[in-house]
Amino acid sequence: MTRSNDTIRVLIPLKLRKKNGRPKIMPPADYSPTEDQTQDPHILRAIGRAWGWRRRMESGEFATIQELAEAVSLAERHVSRQLRLAYLAPEVLKRLTCGRETSAISLYDLCFLAGETWQEQAERAFR
C-alpha cells in the first residue's frame, strides 16, 4: 500500500500548438534539437506532390491547373497553392528535404514563399 507522501510528481514544461491543423507538443524554449530530429512528413509529401504536378504540367499532360485539379480530384485553389512549392529556392528545398531542419512557418505559409527572392525565402522559412 502506498501513502500519499510516497507519490512522486514529475512536471514537464510543454506547450500544445496546432501545426498543419493537428495538435503538436512543442518542447521548452531552451531545448536544443539533436540528430533525431526529422522532417515534417506533411511538408515532404506536399513538395513531392508539387514536383510531380509540375512535371506533368511541363510535359503537356495538362494544359491548365483546372485540368490537373480535376484529374487529381482536388480543388483548383488547393492545387494552385501547393504547386507553388515546386518553385521554392533550391537552398530551401534542400534544407527541407535533405537536411534535418524544420520550417519555422506552416505548410500553408510556405506555399506563398515562392513569390519572394531566394534569400528572403530562406530567411522566412528558417528564422
Side-chain angles (χ1 to χ4, degrees), residues 65-81:
I65 292 176
Q66 183 179 8
E67 289 177 14
L68 173 63
E70 289 171 3
V72 295
S73 302
L74 292 171
E76 183 179 348
R77 189 174 185 180
H78 176 76
V79 172
S80 174
R81 184 176 53 240

Side-chain angles (χ1 to χ4, degrees), residues 78-109:
H78 176 76
V79 172
S80 174
R81 184 176 53 240
Q82 294 238 327
L83 190 57
R84 296 173 192 166
L85 292 172
Y87 297 93
L88 288 173
E91 180 63 26
V92 172
L93 287 172
K94 182 180 175 184
R95 288 169 69 179
L96 285 172
T97 58
C98 301
R100 294 189 171 268
E101 294 185 54
T102 57
S103 176
I105 60 176
S106 68
L107 174 59
Y108 179 81
D109 293 330

Side-chain angles (χ1 to χ4, degrees), residues 34-61:
T34 60
E35 276 92 42
D36 65 344
Q37 184 177 8
T38 60
Q39 298 91 347
D40 186 348
H42 302 289
I43 290 177
L44 291 176
R45 191 175 310 117
I47 290 172
R49 193 174 343 157
W51 273 92
W53 292 344
R54 178 181 174 174
R55 275 190 233 106
R56 293 172 79 179
M57 295 275 300
E58 290 175 349
S59 71
E61 187 177 342

